[in-house]
Amino acid sequence: MYACWRRIGSLLLCVAFFVICVLGQDGAQAPVERSSKSPGLTSQDAEAASSYASADAQSTGHDDSASETQRGHPKRRNGLLELIFDAAAPLVSEALSILRGLKSSDRLATRFGRPSGILGTTAYYAKETFMFLFMNKPFPDDPLESQTRALRPGQPLRKAVTLLERAAVGGNPDAMYLLGDLSFYGNFSHPRNYSEALRRYHQLASLNGNSTAQHMVGFIYATGIGGTVKRDQARALLYHTYAALTGDTRSEMTVAFRYHTGVGTPRNCDKAAFYYKRVADKAISHWRSGPPGGRAIPRVAYRLADEEGGVYGEGASVSSSGPNAMQGGPNSDAHAAFDDVLEYLDLMSRKGDLKATFSLGRLYYEGSRSMNKDLSKARGYFMLVAKKHWTRDGKTIPGTTSGVEKFAAKAAGYLGRMSLRGEGMEQSFAKAQAWFRRGVSHGDALSHNGMGLLYLNGYGVPKDSLRAAEYFKAAAAHDHAPAQVNLGKLFLDQGDVLVATQYFELAARHGYIEAFYYLAEIANRGVGRDRSCGMATAYYKIVAERTEEFHSSFVEANQAHDDGDLEAALLLYLMAAEQGYEVGQANVAYMLDEETSRLHLPSPTPVRKVRPALLRDPRLALTHWTRSAKQHNIDSMVKMGDYYLKGVGAEADDEKAATCYQAAAELQQSAQALWNMGWMHENGIGVQQDFHLAKRFYDLAVQTNSEAYLPVLLALVKLRARSFWNTVTNGRVNSIRAEPEPKQEFSFREWLNDFLYNQHSYDAEMEDEADLQDSMTDELTGPDDLYSDVIDDGIAETLIIVGLAAMLAFMVYFRQQRQLDRPATRNGQGDNAQQQQQQQQEQQQMGGAAGAGAGAGAPAPAPANEQDPEPQPQADPQAGPQVDRGLFPQPGDPEFAQWVAGGIAQ
């Protein structure tokens, strides 16, 4: 089989060699071209690096032209050293002239970019076939040995290096700096040698305290890149602190992040806020140094995993599932065929669709990763929209619709902004004011904010803060973030910190950099509130990281990754990761990750492609998965669990793995984490074995992401089988049990609604054919049945009214009965009193008569056993005949008035 592959490769070798000879350029002697912002040296900035001050200023982002005494590193040279230094300067100049003469091209492995056209596609696949069959030998296990596997430098480059080495022996700092960059970055096709780079940077840092050299030494000790040295976080922090105190922006970011998260040192919020504030001050100054409204800061930091649908692929990662499904990477459905979208919008624009025309203008104005800005095209599309509503002299075209007015007003706002800032056209305050006034007449928020800027700063109009505030307020009412910040600044100047903070917080929702800066300043200084170091540090960090193009290496890292130079991309992403960028940390971990699949299939070819030694560092991968997870990356948290579960980069620890999965599952955004927790509870790995709890996690996984239906279904089938066997055999594991149905509280109102309405709705849903027949009958019988729904709807109201009326009648009757009982009770008590009084008088009279006739032989008293007869009621001689008054008192009766008053009150 291998011989067959060799024969096929021999045939393709001729084709590949021919294509390489035709399309290739002197790769052995050609330098690798880098942008002027790259930390490495190129032919474009070689002249700028000819002096120590300019080279240091380029890397630190500040002016280092001040004397060494002012920077705290005095130069102590005697006459002999100065003479040697002056003698070495011509050597550096000659070496720079040689480097400037070298042509710029990429390495052989990355010379062919993305295939385009028939010839380009043929060359690309020919190169890939040639590299796969003949250049794909395994890399050495020793990382230091792999550093020298690049192409040997050509004669001009070797001569330049020799001159720089001679100058470095003479103590020339520029030569040391250039040699360190050549060895570290591999510029001009120079072999990478991290040990030599460390030696040169350390030599320069010890010579005069070069802040860039100190930063590079700290970076090498922090990462141990290439196995050059053992990782030493304490020594790394020491060198980064030296560089940060002398103004190196990258070291300031690094030191701030280490104090903020406790990397290599205890956490210290005050120190983190101090260093982050220094970077934030530089960032906001850089932003304000642009045109009116601030610099346009493009986004250059992208996660490599998002381009593949996330760490676990499309649909299985948090970044491409659930609420983020519509915000996937370029390979997802949300961003598929971007060129086709542009073509479709252009077609619709040609057909007169103003929405498509305006959308094209915004795309070309703002740009994206897959499309660069084109301000001239943006201006053309905005003008096309504006011409649909206004004539050349600014008059409104009669007969335009509201939709045309809406898009024309927005286009006027963008045209005014471009005129104000001089983007794609000459800066003109008069034209900006004219366009802004057109947009203001139709309520455009961008135009209101633009007019506010004109009056606030006096651009073409007299300064008027009150009128500016009115325009800002109108724009802020439409949730326009720049206007909210401008209005907040006016309130802050007046001393109203509370209202200003509210406007800053509203603008911060849109990610506006200046809003975060003011919130950081208020929290750090304790203006209008207690000082909050944590909030200040968080806000300063956001401001510092928003100006990523100012002090990060993402642009060069993205370019190197697209070109296929993975080692250079890893180095540059690693620099951003050390500065605290979560995107950089995730990219480093993703590039170093080898645990991409649980199923390892054998390769169908006899040659297996081996990763470079620099990209085989699982311990470093786990470190950056951890740092990314601490910055709220859920997929990174799940990856941490995978590493601890398998023992990759650290000793296997099931409990730590379960802790990572649990932390990621608590947010209920990762179906992968929930599924993993279900699997661990099912098997009792790292947690107590519990079949019922495992089922709960499996159910939550499919609820979080519907695409997990099939794996969850298969897992549940197996789980139920195990649970059934556990129940039958009386196992000790908690089996799956039925969930109790929640009891619904019963109320009379719900019963009445169900009784009146549910039956009708159920019949309407279940008898579609009968309803269709009834509707046809209604059309024939006329409108008599149109009121049936109204009658049915009034049944409940009728029953309620009848019930209330009956209750009212009962209360009236009850009240009258109580009122009638009260006089009878009073009359009965009066009669009893009169009867008792009469009985007492009769007893007294009988006693007197007995005393008077005692001697006349009064009759003997009655026997003792005889009882006195009960007194009989005597009729009142003054009372008239009894009259039946009926149930209710009659008119004229004294109680009639009380009865009427009681009925009315009820």
Side-chain angles (χ1 to χ4, degrees), residues 43 46-47 50 90-102 156 159-160 163-164 178:
S43 59
E47 178 122 11
S50 59
L91 300 177
V92 177
S93 300
E94 184 180 356
L96 289 175
S97 63
I98 295 175
L99 294 177
R100 285 194 296 267
L102 297 177
K159 181 179 179 180
L163 293 173
L164 291 175
L178 294 174

Side-chain angles (χ1 to χ4, degrees), residues 274-325:
F274 171 76
Y275 286 106
Y276 271 132
K277 175 176 169 53
R278 296 183 63 171
V279 182
D281 291 340
K282 297 178 185 179
I284 204 67
S285 299
H286 172 73
W287 180 81
R288 290 173 177 172
S289 64
R295 287 181 179 272
I297 302 177
R299 181 189 176 191
V300 296
Y302 300 95
R303 292 187 181 89
L304 300 177
D306 291 348
E307 298 181 358
E308 305 296 333
V311 175
Y312 292 97
E314 189 79 27
S317 306
V318 175
S319 59
S320 61
S321 63
N324 300 322

Side-chain angles (χ1 to χ4, degrees), residues 645-710:
L645 182 64
K646 301 176 183 178
V648 178
E651 295 183 0
D653 193 330
D654 297 338
E655 294 184 358
K656 284 187 178 181
T659 302
C660 295
Y661 293 146
Q662 182 65 39
E666 286 179 353
L667 300 176
Q668 294 189 5
Q669 296 183 13
S670 174
Q672 184 69 43
L674 293 167
W675 195 94
N676 290 349
M677 284 301 301
W679 179 82
M680 298 190 78
H681 277 288
E682 178 184 356
N683 297 279
I685 298 177
V687 293
Q688 184 178 1
Q689 192 174 13
D690 191 330
F691 292 152
H692 182 74
L693 194 55
K695 180 182 179 300
R696 293 282 300 274
F697 278 108
Y698 285 141
D699 292 339
L700 288 175
V702 75
Q703 292 177 10
T704 303
N705 186 3
S706 59
E707 296 184 10
Y709 173 77
L710 181 59

Side-chain angles (χ1 to χ4, degrees), residues 231-252:
R231 295 188 182 96
D232 191 340
Q233 301 299 337
R235 184 173 294 184
L237 180 61
L238 177 65
Y239 279 100
H240 280 305
T241 303
Y242 285 151
L245 292 177
T246 55
D248 187 273
T249 306
R250 295 175 297 171
S251 288
E252 288 173 343

Side-chain angles (χ1 to χ4, degrees), residues 359-685:
S359 299
L360 284 172
R362 285 195 59 182
L363 287 174
Y364 282 110
Y365 180 78
E366 297 175 355
S368 64
R369 184 182 182 185
S370 56
M371 184 181 69
N372 296 327
K373 284 186 176 183
D374 194 332
L375 297 178
S376 61
K377 287 187 177 181
R379 177 175 176 270
Y381 283 114
F382 288 143
M383 289 295 295
L384 288 177
V385 178
K387 288 180 180 179
K388 297 293 183 180
H389 185 64
W390 290 291
T391 59
R392 191 175 187 85
D393 55 356
K395 296 182 179 179
T396 304
I397 299 176
T400 55
T401 62
S402 59
V404 175
E405 294 178 357
K406 175 182 176 181
F407 288 109
K410 292 183 177 181
Y414 275 98
L415 289 171
R417 175 181 172 86
M418 296 176 72
S419 300
L420 176 64
R421 297 165 59 87
E423 297 174 331
M425 62 183 72
E426 185 179 356
Q427 188 179 30
S428 174
F429 296 146
K431 291 183 179 180
Q433 182 181 1
W435 284 115
F436 284 147
R437 290 192 181 278
R438 296 181 187 182
V440 166
S441 62
H442 293 85
D444 178 60
L446 182 59
S447 300
H448 277 97
N449 182 68
M451 288 297 298
L453 288 175
L454 293 179
Y455 279 103
L456 182 64
N457 300 285
Y459 295 144
V461 294
K463 285 188 176 182
D464 192 339
S465 300
L466 295 179
R467 295 193 64 179
E470 293 178 358
Y471 282 114
F472 290 147
K473 186 176 181 180
H478 292 82
D479 203 17
H480 190 63
Q484 292 169 342
V485 172
N486 293 329
L487 193 59
K489 289 191 291 186
L490 293 178
F491 278 105
L492 190 62
D493 292 339
Q494 298 298 324
D496 196 341
V497 181
L498 180 60
V499 177
T501 303
Q502 293 176 355
Y503 278 109
F504 293 146
E505 290 175 349
L506 290 175
R509 295 181 296 111
H510 303 280
Y512 199 65
I513 181 175
E514 198 174 15
F516 287 113
Y517 182 76
Y518 277 106
L519 289 174
E521 289 287 283
I522 292 174
N524 188 41
R525 299 174 183 270
V527 180
R529 62 174 67 177
D530 294 336
R531 181 178 181 271
S532 177
C533 180
M535 292 182 60
T537 303
Y539 286 134
Y540 281 136
K541 185 175 186 294
I542 293 175
V543 175
E545 292 183 353
R546 284 299 171 91
T547 54
E548 51 199 18
E549 66 168 358
F550 175 55
H551 49 66
S552 70
S553 54
F554 279 112
V555 175
E556 295 77 18
N558 294 334
Q559 185 63 43
H561 185 270
D562 293 341
D563 293 339
D565 193 350
L566 300 183
E567 293 189 14
L570 179 65
L571 288 175
L572 297 171
Y573 282 133
L574 195 56
M575 286 185 171
E578 285 294 314
Q579 293 175 231
Y581 284 96
E582 188 277 325
V583 176
Q585 295 164 357
N587 288 346
V588 170
Y590 183 73
M591 293 185 67
L592 296 175
D593 182 40
E594 298 185 22
E595 303 297 321
T596 56
S597 176
R598 294 179 179 270
L599 183 62
H600 299 281
L601 298 176
S603 176
T605 60
V607 181
R608 185 173 63 90
K609 191 171 183 179
V610 182
R611 292 162 59 92
L614 192 62
L615 273 68
R616 288 179 284 159
D617 194 342
R619 184 178 178 182
L620 186 61
L622 178 59
T623 298
H624 286 85
W625 283 130
T626 305
R627 294 181 182 179
S628 175
K630 287 184 178 180
Q631 300 197 63
H632 312 293
N633 189 318
I634 300 177
D635 286 333
S636 297
M637 180 70 71
V638 180
K639 266 294 183 181
M640 282 180 59
D642 293 346
Y643 274 53
Y644 283 118
L645 182 64
K646 301 176 183 178
V648 178
E651 295 183 0
D653 193 330
D654 297 338
E655 294 184 358
K656 284 187 178 181
T659 302
C660 295
Y661 293 146
Q662 182 65 39
E666 286 179 353
L667 300 176
Q668 294 189 5
Q669 296 183 13
S670 174
Q672 184 69 43
L674 293 167
W675 195 94
N676 290 349
M677 284 301 301
W679 179 82
M680 298 190 78
H681 277 288
E682 178 184 356
N683 297 279
I685 298 177

